[in-house]
Amino acid sequence: MPTVAVIGDGQLARMMQTAAIELGQSVRLLAGSPDASAAQVTGDVVEGDYRRMADLRRAIAGADAVTFDHEHVPNDFLRELLAEKVVVEPRPEALIFAQDKLAQRTKLAELGLPVPRFAGIESAADAARFFDRVEGRVCLKATRGGYDGHGVWFPADKAELADLVERLLAEQVPLMAEEKVAFERELSALVARRRSGEIRAWPVVESVQKDGVCSEAIAPAPGLATEAAEKATQLAQTIASELGVTGVLAVELFEFIGAAGTPEVVVNELAMRPHNTGHWTQDGSVTSQFEQHLRAVLDLPLGDTTPRAPVTVMANTLGGEVEPEMPEVERMAEVWRRFPQAKIHLYGKSYRPGRKLGHVNVSGEDAEEARRIARLAAGFLVTARWEDA
């Protein structure tokens, strides 16, 4: 059966491994340490550093395809592997648009797709001109490496913007600026594409953020009109096709009220791998994003993405300030006693404030009830206290 080499050792690779088992596939993991999240559950582990070509070669030897649980592998390495006929998915010419936010914005704008106004920033003068252009509504971003709210700044005025730019450029942080969007909510359009062109989409979800980190995903997005959902899905499919993406693509969107008084969207971020906003598919869809990604990477027919229930809510468990005395297994048991329908997925990570430790999926008929249960369950796993006690 096929072997897929997964570069990266986080929770996404961990959940790819469990999907691979059910597909009869084998995952070979390039992990930084034997106790990393994915390494704990994978039998075929190569310890090494994805920034070293020799370690990459050890991990991919004999594999049928190579994929990732993050976008940080140097593209020069991937081009070298492609030249040697290694199947790398997604390919570097697509992956660059998930790695480099300025390249992404430029490409999407060239395609005529909705993005905020933006500019590359190479000096404080560049930043000042952009500040005036957007009347002070500035979001400053590191073009590479930012995630979960890191690498994003919202300066209060032009002087603060100038100070930020000068400090960050001195630290050799590549920068861009874009217009801050007054959005109503965040959405995520998730699709999967295989190399031969087949694309399948899941329902558009609403993503709820807490301190820059996704805390909930509600599928489908409550109150999203059919026409708007179809438009967001088509946007994601267009991006997948135009950029030549293979595997899962998450298109994070801002929904805002346009000049005509109707809801519109602009692209916020792209991720070319399974995504936090797609974790609900493990229990709420006929085919999970992890299974679909592995199918796509091997260019196998894609699975059905029909929801299994009218609504599924995913709630992240994010570490609190203090780890509770009650052991984790007992916390899980307490959740299941009260909510036997809750599906708990843990990542095998040590407790740390704000860290993603796992998530809870709850399916049902009513979105608010599913949200209530998912929030209570996730909260108890973090604190060992019921928030509605």
Side-chain angles (χ1 to χ4, degrees):
M1 295 299 290
T3 295
V4 177
V6 179
I7 311 304
D9 57 15
Q11 64 263 25
L12 301 180
R14 180 187 179 103
M15 290 181 276
M16 279 189 237
Q17 158 68 4
T18 56
I21 291 170
E22 296 178 352
L23 290 171
Q25 298 176 6
S26 176
V27 160
R28 181 180 304 126
L29 189 73
L30 178 62
S33 67
D35 62 349
S37 176
Q40 296 170 19
V41 298
T42 305
D44 189 357
V45 178
V46 174
E47 285 186 58
D49 188 331
Y50 64 86
R51 293 163 295 191
R52 293 183 55 198
M53 190 62 171
D55 290 346
L56 280 176
R57 290 191 185 282
R58 287 193 297 120
I60 69 173
D64 295 271
V66 180
T67 193
F68 317 93
D69 93 332
H70 60 70
E71 294 99 344
H72 306 311
V73 180
N75 264 354
D76 289 347
F77 289 178
L78 301 182
R79 292 190 187 95
E80 188 174 334
L81 295 176
L82 279 171
E84 296 168 6
K85 308 301 182 186
V86 176
V87 177
V88 178
E89 301 289 8
R91 296 181 182 177
E93 57 265 30
L95 201 58
I96 185 63
F97 299 114
Q99 295 169 329
D100 189 310
K101 294 179 177 63
L102 182 57
Q104 174 205 122
R105 287 290 191 256
T106 302
K107 180 65 174 179
L108 296 184
E110 288 173 356
L111 294 171
L113 302 177
V115 294
R117 288 187 288 178
F118 67 94
I121 301 298
E122 297 183 358
S123 67
D126 288 343
R129 283 190 290 271
F130 188 78
F131 186 96
D132 292 337
R133 179 183 166 199
V134 298
E135 299 177 334
R137 297 185 296 273
V138 175
C139 172
L140 186 68
K141 289 185 175 182
T143 62
R144 287 179 173 262
Y147 69 97
D148 285 349
H150 300 288
V152 179
W153 301 269
F154 296 97
D157 52 39
K158 191 182 289 189
E160 183 180 342
L161 174 62
D163 289 343
L164 264 174
V165 167
E166 289 176 354
R167 174 173 63 82
L168 292 168
L169 289 178
E171 296 170 0
Q172 298 187 333
V173 178
L175 295 173
M176 64 170 284
E178 64 183 28
E179 184 174 11
K180 185 165 59 175
V181 178
F183 59 89
E184 298 291 315
R185 60 175 173 174
E186 296 187 53
L187 303 173
S188 178
L190 201 73
V191 300
R193 177 182 179 272
R194 55 191 283 215
R195 177 56 49 191
S196 53
E198 181 188 11
I199 299 178
R200 293 223 178 217
W202 288 272
V204 177
V205 308
E206 180 177 345
S207 172
V208 180
Q209 308 292 310
K210 180 180 179 182
D211 299 326
V213 179
C214 176
S215 63
E216 284 181 278
I218 307 141
L224 186 63
T226 300
E227 183 179 352
E230 290 174 349
K231 186 176 179 180
T233 297
Q234 184 57 56
L235 172 61
Q237 292 174 329
T238 298
I239 292 172
S241 295
E242 291 289 342
L243 302 189
V245 177
T246 298
V248 170
L249 169 70
V251 180
E252 297 180 55
L253 302 164
F254 289 141
E255 183 183 46
F256 66 99
I257 303 303
T262 56
E264 297 181 20
V265 297
V266 294
V267 175
N268 177 28
E269 300 284 358
L270 301 181
M272 297 179 191
R273 49 170 170 74
H275 191 254
N276 202 167
T277 60
H279 290 352
W280 71 272
T281 63
Q282 289 172 296
D283 303 295
S285 174
V286 172
T287 307
S288 79
Q289 64 168 343
F290 302 102
E291 177 183 342
Q292 200 80 298
H293 187 77
L294 291 169
R295 289 195 193 201
V297 164
L298 292 167
D299 204 17
L300 297 172
L302 300 181
D304 186 0
T305 54
T306 302
R308 292 181 178 274
V311 64
T312 299
V313 175
M314 184 281 304
N316 275 327
T317 62
L318 305 173
E321 291 302 317
V322 180
E323 183 173 10
E325 293 183 5
M326 182 186 291
E328 189 172 59
V329 68
E330 292 184 22
R331 283 176 263 152
M332 294 169 68
E334 286 298 316
V335 167
W336 285 327
R337 286 188 187 98
R338 183 173 179 185
F339 301 120
Q341 71 271 48
K343 298 293 187 179
I344 300 172
H345 301 268
L346 298 180
Y347 306 154
K349 294 184 175 183
S350 59
Y351 200 95
R352 191 173 70 206
R355 190 179 202 183
K356 290 180 183 175
L357 304 173
H359 64 273
V360 178
N361 287 334
V362 175
S363 298
E365 301 288 329
D366 179 76
E368 284 307 310
E369 178 64 6
R371 289 185 76 181
R372 183 184 73 85
I373 294 171
R375 286 174 173 176
L376 286 171
F380 190 88
L381 289 171
V382 171
T383 65
R385 297 191 307 272
W386 293 112
E387 293 178 6
D388 64 343

